[in-house]
Amino acid sequence: MSKENRIRIIIGHYGSGKTEFSINYAVKLAKEGKKVALVDLDVVNLYFRSREKEEILNELGIKVISSSIKASAVDIPAISAEAYGPLEDSTFDTILDVGGDPAGARVLGRYHELLKDGEYEMYYVLNANRPETSTVEKAVGYLNGIEGIARAKVTGIINNTHMLKSTTVEDVMKGQKLASELSQKLDIPIKYIVALEDVAKKLPEDLEGEIFPIKLYMREDWML
């Protein structure tokens, strides 16, 4: 990975795959020897939450922080005060998995004083197969809406165009085209190109952005 600020905020539309990316990102950082905290700030969607994989992540040395009430199957819009810890502690590489719409980004407001310009990354996870972000105009509108409420600026775009386990190279390249158009329009670089490991191996090497192979931690083996 190229040099990044230690605080990374992950945003994106519901279904973009931001939580799957957040988990894979945390795992990659941990395997690089980093002291990692994954903070689940998604108080909107009760399904596919990063906190559901807390046991696996803890085994890898990753600190998981989410609802102040320890009940993984219960949707309670409360974030533990523990979240301040890794944001203030410079020894942590911290990932914030934020709710998948502008309203979900509102929770970032309480940490505004800790998110100073130039001291964090905010990555916009883009899935061109989602109708709500399938065009440049829609993607821009969604991004602007999140920035306005979160009071933070996007610093990078992540092409995570997928069809779950059925994702093809063509899906990823379709997303790359949209990500490139969005990048040019807003002057925001493409940071990562996310794809399942077998698909990532088949992608061209000259794409803008770093190819980021992932595993599907949030999809059980029986799920499509």
Side-chain angles (χ1 to χ4, degrees):
M1 290 183 183
S2 57
K3 182 171 176 56
E4 301 169 295
N5 288 304
R6 70 172 188 87
I7 297 175
R8 288 89 157 183
I9 305 165
I10 312 300
I11 63 170
H13 195 277
Y14 173 73
S16 64
K18 66 176 182 59
T19 293
E20 194 72 78
F21 173 76
S22 296
I23 290 173
N24 275 271
Y25 199 14
V27 170
K28 184 173 178 64
L29 289 172
K31 288 182 176 179
E32 291 176 353
K34 308 284 189 182
K35 180 181 176 182
V36 182
L38 176 57
V39 183
D40 182 352
L41 293 182
D42 190 344
V43 296
V44 175
N45 176 35
L46 71 162
Y47 299 108
F48 303 112
R49 299 277 299 275
S50 54
R51 66 181 184 179
E52 295 173 13
K53 300 300 176 182
E54 183 170 0
E55 184 175 345
I56 294 173
L57 294 171
N58 285 166
E59 289 175 359
L60 293 170
I62 298 167
K63 182 179 182 65
V64 179
I65 300 170
S66 57
S67 170
S68 56
I69 298 179
K70 299 295 184 182
S72 63
V74 179
D75 183 38
I76 301 171
I79 302 298
S80 171
E82 274 190 283
Y84 283 96
L87 287 172
E88 296 175 320
D89 185 346
S90 62
T91 66
F92 273 99
D93 275 70
T94 303
I95 298 170
L96 306 180
D97 179 8
V98 181
D101 59 18
R106 197 181 308 277
V107 71
L108 277 177
R110 73 172 68 181
Y111 309 110
H112 180 65
E113 72 280 4
L114 299 177
L115 301 175
K116 298 179 174 59
D117 288 347
E119 296 182 6
Y120 66 86
E121 308 292 349
M122 187 156 86
Y123 294 144
Y124 180 52
V125 179
L126 179 67
N127 181 357
N129 285 331
R130 296 296 300 177
E132 299 86 350
T133 54
S134 60
T135 68
V136 172
E137 291 73 21
K138 290 180 179 180
V140 168
Y142 201 82
L143 184 152
N144 287 342
I146 290 178
E147 283 188 333
I149 291 177
R151 292 189 289 169
K153 290 292 183 181
V154 171
T155 63
I157 297 166
I158 296 174
N159 172 18
N160 190 35
T161 300
H162 65 86
M163 291 294 287
L164 299 175
K165 295 178 182 179
S166 300
T167 303
T168 64
V169 170
E170 289 71 28
D171 285 315
V172 179
M173 295 307 293
K174 170 187 173 182
Q176 189 69 5
K177 181 177 183 296
L178 178 61
S180 294
E181 293 172 357
L182 182 63
S183 173
Q184 292 171 19
K185 186 174 182 65
L186 298 180
D187 194 26
I188 299 172
I190 298 174
K191 183 64 182 180
Y192 295 116
I193 304 155
V194 179
L196 295 173
E197 292 174 331
D198 60 332
V199 176
K201 295 175 183 176
K202 302 173 185 176
L203 294 174
E205 296 181 357
D206 60 348
L207 297 176
E208 179 188 354
E210 179 181 337
I211 295 174
F212 193 110
I214 65 166
K215 296 179 180 179
L216 293 180
Y217 288 93
M218 298 303 296
R219 305 293 294 184
E220 305 298 340
D221 291 340
W222 55 269
M223 293 179 174
L224 296 177

